[in-house]
Amino acid sequence: MTFKTILSLLFLLPHIAFGAKADAKDIMLGAVFPMTGPIATYGQESVNGMKLALKRINLKGIRGKKVQLIVEDNKGEPVESANAVRKLISVDDVYAILGSVASSNTLAGAPIAQSAKVPMLTPASTNEEVTKMGKYLSRTCFTDAFQGEVMAKFAYNSLNKKHAAIIVDLSSDYSKGLARIFKKRFKAMGGTIIPQDFSYNQKDTDFRTLLRKVKRKKPDIIFLPGYYQEVGLILKQARQIGMVMPFIGGDGWHSDSLLKLAGKKGIKNNYYSSHFSPDDTDPAVQNFVKEYVAAYGSKPGAMAALGYDGLMVMADALKRATSLNREALQKAIASTQNFKGVTGMITLDKMRNARKGAVVLETTEQGNIFKEKISP
Ligand code: PHE
């Protein structure tokens, strides 16, 4: 038995392969997603979306081959993400990696993919630094520079709020980066930001002391660039202590679990920016929604749509690559232009970031209400 086979056996348990039956002649792709842990709905939804894409891709195959996707669970943790990227490269010898979702997770795996020259395409990580890790890193979503500006404008112009507090998740590069951008943009428009730093860490559950401090400063709006688990609890506890102002945030809020966590009182009167709304009337979107509902029994959220588009872009690049190797694949990904996805038209710029529109959603007990669509 070779060392590689032993390693493969060791890794047999946590990994799940989707697509064609294992065959050395298949095109092997890796995927690093949070299937368990505090941001698990992101991973589960992404994989649902990617499975639909894979089905479509393997109807015809690519270059006479089937595509196979090996999914690794990073549990939403940076160290696990780095290990997963290392394993997919050294054990599975994948052509490319899709992932991850949380920017801190993608940032942890990025240097490994970059130094091994394995293309890594994130469908969802919005932090500015991600694609600066090197040319093997690209993304099919917008960045936080855009998302932060969208929400600053929405707060100032659409909601007519002028005095904001910001609550940051210190364990998340996404949260810290998005907070910085919102602050800059909101101030530039003439708004004021309460100078005090309000923060928490992922997996915290009691936010009452923090929220009382924020309440005393009397903001008319609160920017909360976090992930749904903590955001949901913060919304719930804020209403419990009588905070009635709107809370706003970014794509990290996008999860079916948000309502369960925030409760009926907590969910009301809040807004966030995201990548996708299943209420978009575009026929391509409606087709995707129909297919998704038929397969999983619920409407797709942002992560499902992003996962789907990410894998479809990867498949398109695999077809266009001048030959089937990682270097040619990287070039093909970077030159993606006018790819019509369900999250919008995807064109990668010089820094391998997609310029795409955002949607603003209002959270209600009955589900999200689509408020605005903002072009880049
Ligand atoms: N943009 C978030 C990040 O970079 C991840 C995310 C994307 C979460 C889409 C939900 C939906 O950390």
Side-chain angles (χ1 to χ4, degrees), residues 4 61 65-66 80 98 170 177 179 181 187 213 222 232 235 241 250 285 322 334 339 358 376:
K4 230 172 153 177
K65 297 168 189 281
K66 298 275 181 200
E80 298 275 352
L98 284 131
L170 287 181
I181 293 152
K187 274 188 175 170
K213 280 188 209 151
I222 295 167
L235 296 179
I241 64 160
V285 172
T322 50
F339 182 90

Side-chain angles (χ1 to χ4, degrees), residues 82 117 177 180 206 218 248 267 284 294 300 322-323 326 336 341 366:
K117 296 194 161 85
R180 219 176 296 124
D206 188 350
K218 299 192 168 56
I248 61 172
I267 203 74
T322 50
S323 63
R326 290 160 170 174
T336 298
Q366 283 77 36

Side-chain angles (χ1 to χ4, degrees), residues 42 100-104 123-127 130 139 141-142 144 147 172-175 227 250-255 274-275 302-303 306:
Y42 299 156
S100 192
V101 184
S103 291
S104 299
S125 293
T126 46
N127 182 273
V130 168
R139 78 179 117 211
C141 55
F142 55 61
D144 288 331
Q147 180 169 216
S172 152
D173 291 305
Y174 156 77
S175 189
Y227 294 140
D251 54 355
W253 285 34
H254 210 148
S255 168
S274 192
H275 308 260
M303 271 317 316
L306 289 170

Side-chain angles (χ1 to χ4, degrees), residues 10-21:
L10 276 177
F11 281 105
L12 219 58
L13 280 179
H15 102 222
I16 339 156
F18 295 111
K21 261 188 284 152

Side-chain angles (χ1 to χ4, degrees), residues 107-124:
L107 285 167
I112 299 159
Q114 174 61 34
S115 68
K117 296 194 161 85
V118 175
M120 185 164 170
L121 174 70
T122 170

Side-chain angles (χ1 to χ4, degrees), residues 131-326:
T131 46
K132 293 183 188 162
M133 305 298 284
K135 70 173 186 179
Y136 278 83
L137 270 293
S138 6
R139 78 179 117 211
T140 42
C141 55
F142 55 61
T143 74
D144 288 331
F146 175 61
Q147 180 169 216
E149 185 172 353
V150 162
M151 286 320 278
K153 281 187 184 156
F154 183 77
Y156 196 86
N157 298 328
S158 306
L159 296 179
N160 199 25
K161 303 294 183 192
K162 314 290 169 189
H163 192 50
I166 304 180
I167 306 181
V168 182
D169 170 358
L170 287 181
S171 43
S172 152
D173 291 305
Y174 156 77
S175 189
K176 289 185 279 189
L178 190 50
R180 219 176 296 124
I181 293 152
F182 178 86
K183 190 174 182 174
K184 207 164 140 193
R185 295 281 168 250
F186 193 71
K187 274 188 175 170
M189 279 187 294
T192 52
I193 304 272
I194 291 163
Q196 207 165 323
D197 287 330
F198 301 110
S199 62
Y200 65 91
N201 280 291
Q202 233 171 83
K203 296 182 186 161
D204 283 355
T205 54
D206 188 350
F207 301 95
R208 275 166 265 245
T209 309
L210 167 68
L211 287 167
R212 277 194 199 98
K213 280 188 209 151
V214 179
K215 190 184 176 195
R216 250 177 263 137
K217 297 290 173 183
K218 299 192 168 56
D220 61 9
I221 190 154
I222 295 167
F223 187 56
L224 179 60
Y227 294 140
Y228 65 91
Q229 183 73 34
E230 293 79 22
V231 167
L233 295 176
I234 287 173
L235 296 179
K236 182 178 200 127
Q237 293 169 20
R239 299 304 186 231
Q240 281 169 348
I241 64 160
M243 296 173 82
V244 292
M245 67 290 275
F247 281 69
I248 61 172
D251 54 355
W253 285 34
H254 210 148
S255 168
D256 276 346
S257 296
L258 190 69
L259 171 60
K260 278 171 243 154
L261 290 157
K264 287 179 186 178
K265 277 195 195 138
I267 203 74
K268 246 186 243 164
N269 195 28
N270 308 299
Y271 305 85
Y272 67 95
S273 52
S274 192
H275 308 260
F276 170 86
S277 164
D279 301 327
D280 192 324
T281 50
D282 182 315
V285 172
Q286 284 314 312
N287 251 341
F288 172 68
V289 172
K290 227 168 83 187
E291 208 178 316
Y292 193 92
V293 171
Y296 306 110
S298 63
K299 280 192 184 175
M303 271 317 316
L306 289 170
Y308 180 86
D309 278 355
L311 187 51
M312 291 304 277
V313 166
M314 180 67 80
D316 179 63
L318 279 165
K319 281 180 211 153
R320 285 187 291 105
T322 50
S323 63
L324 191 54
N325 63 60
R326 290 160 170 174

